[in-house]
Amino acid sequence: LAGVCAIFNVIALIIAVICVVESPRWLLAREMRIEAVEAFTTLRGAWKEREAMEDVANIVARENAKTSPPGAFAAFRWYDLLLDSHLSRSMMITCALVCIQQLGGLSLAVHDDGEIPSSGAVPSSTDTRIAYVVTLLFGIMVCSRMVDYMGRKPCMLASLAGMCLCNLAMASAAAGYALGSARDALDVAVISFAFFYGLGMAAIPMLITVELFPQHARGTAISLTLTLYWSYVFVETFAYELALDAFGASAIHIFFAVVCAAGAIYVKHTILETANRALEDTVALVIPQNDVRVGAVAPSKPSRRKDAKRVVIL
């Protein structure tokens, strides 16, 4: 099995080396204009329209400079995410969403743990685990179709409402208040939870993390957010069994339901809607364009003749 996985890793590495193109926005933020034009040309398959791609690069560079002007990368330090008032606000929003995501119900790692006692609200068999994963993927597919049409907030609110009801159903079934078999009721509630979790909270918090940070801070912010995410998963994997022995499944899932309800209130009143906006516009919701503290004024659009001379010189 390890050998087969290694083969897939090697195939993925080869595909990445051959096919993956560096982000043009990242290149432009580092003032690597020629490389950015090449990236746009490759991504759009516009090898015969290089001049048009230069215009695209100029437009994106001007937009990029509104929130990540020249010099922003060099001046940025990771602790600016905590000390800068605007960046810390974005960081607080993304950390709160990850907290709600992880404390609003059991993660996939726990659901797939076959050593959890039968009293826990986890799938009771391999078939149920497969149904859980398939249902989760279906919920994510529905989310991917609706997230731009309905917006981030409505998807997350629908997701949290469903997660809350499913957690209450799990608490009720675990306490013995269920129609028919308590184990069957738990399985149905767990599988239903997977759909509602995939409907919004599984993916949208990371999407919002991408959208709320300027280019020069985005990579570091995503790294810290993912560190927090996997820290929650690590702790939850060990803590659920301990909490199950100490409090019982009903109390645990009532707590999860309360987190989902509180999370819905937080999302409704705090989260900024970022659907159908350019990245710079979503960043400007938190960091006003007239309050960019790093770098110089955005460069003006150079003429094609100057660009051509620069290419010749280089």
Side-chain angles (χ1 to χ4, degrees):
L1 178 61
V4 171
C5 291
I7 291 173
F8 281 109
N9 294 151
V10 172
I11 293 173
L13 174 62
I14 294 172
I15 293 174
V17 170
I18 296 174
C19 301
V20 174
V21 179
E22 187 59 80
S23 163
R25 286 177 178 273
W26 184 86
L27 293 169
L28 288 169
R30 289 178 173 269
E31 301 183 66
M32 301 168 68
R33 185 176 295 272
I34 295 176
E35 292 84 350
V37 172
E38 293 293 340
F40 276 123
T41 302
T42 303
L43 288 170
R44 301 193 178 195
W47 291 279
K48 296 182 179 180
E49 302 174 7
R50 185 177 177 85
E51 288 190 355
M53 293 303 100
E54 290 177 352
D55 289 339
V56 170
N58 290 332
I59 293 171
V60 174
R62 288 201 306 273
E63 292 299 308
N64 218 15
K66 293 177 181 178
T67 55
S68 292
F73 268 102
F76 175 74
R77 298 293 181 269
W78 70 268
Y79 47 79
D80 290 336
L81 293 171
L82 305 177
L83 300 180
D84 182 274
S85 59
H86 297 301
L87 292 177
S88 63
R89 182 187 176 196
S90 295
M91 202 69 208
M92 182 186 70
I93 290 172
T94 56
C95 289
L97 286 178
V98 171
C99 178
I100 295 166
Q101 177 194 58
Q102 292 302 306
L103 296 182
L106 294 177
S107 67
L108 177 59
V110 182
H111 277 303
D112 200 36
D113 188 352
E115 297 181 0
I116 297 293
S118 58
S119 59
V122 294
S124 60
S125 65
T126 301
D127 291 341
T128 311
R129 291 189 187 94
I130 293 173
Y132 175 92
V133 174
V134 171
T135 307
L136 174 62
L137 293 176
F138 178 69
I140 292 173
M141 290 173 63
V142 174
C143 175
S144 71
R145 299 296 298 172
M146 302 300 292
V147 69
D148 285 324
Y149 176 72
M150 293 181 60
R152 280 54 163 158
K153 289 178 67 172
C155 284
M156 285 194 290
L157 289 173
S159 176
L160 288 167
M163 289 165 60
C164 181
L165 292 176
C166 290
N167 276 312
L168 291 175
M170 291 182 217
S172 177
Y177 300 101
L179 298 176
S181 167
R183 187 62 259 180
D184 290 342
L186 277 174
D187 283 341
V188 171
V190 167
I191 294 172
S192 301
F193 174 87
F195 171 77
F196 286 108
Y197 180 66
L199 190 61
M201 291 307 295
I204 293 180
M206 288 303 163
L207 175 61
I208 289 181
T209 301
V210 173
E211 294 176 328
L212 289 186
F213 289 93
Q215 184 69 52
H216 63 276
R218 188 170 296 140
T220 305
I222 293 172
S223 298
L224 291 177
T225 304
L226 284 173
T227 301
L228 178 65
Y229 170 86
W230 285 110
S231 299
Y232 272 117
V233 172
F234 178 79
V235 172
E236 190 177 31
T237 302
F238 294 98
Y240 181 69
E241 206 167 345
L242 297 174
L244 194 61
D245 294 335
F247 305 108
S250 293
I252 294 172
H253 287 278
I254 287 174
F255 169 77
F256 288 157
V258 170
V259 171
C260 290
I265 295 173
Y266 178 82
V267 168
K268 181 173 179 59
H269 294 286
T270 305
I271 300 302
L272 306 167
E273 183 57 72
T274 58
N276 301 312
R277 295 175 182 266
L279 279 175
E280 287 74 25
D281 293 336
T282 61
V283 173
L285 293 174
V286 181
I287 305 176
Q289 292 179 8
N290 59 0
D291 197 24
V292 176
R293 304 181 182 186
V294 183
V297 180
S300 59
K301 178 180 177 181
S303 66
R304 291 182 183 175
R305 180 174 298 177
K306 289 182 180 179
D307 279 347
K309 289 182 178 178
R310 182 184 177 193
V311 171
V312 171
I313 293 171
L314 292 176

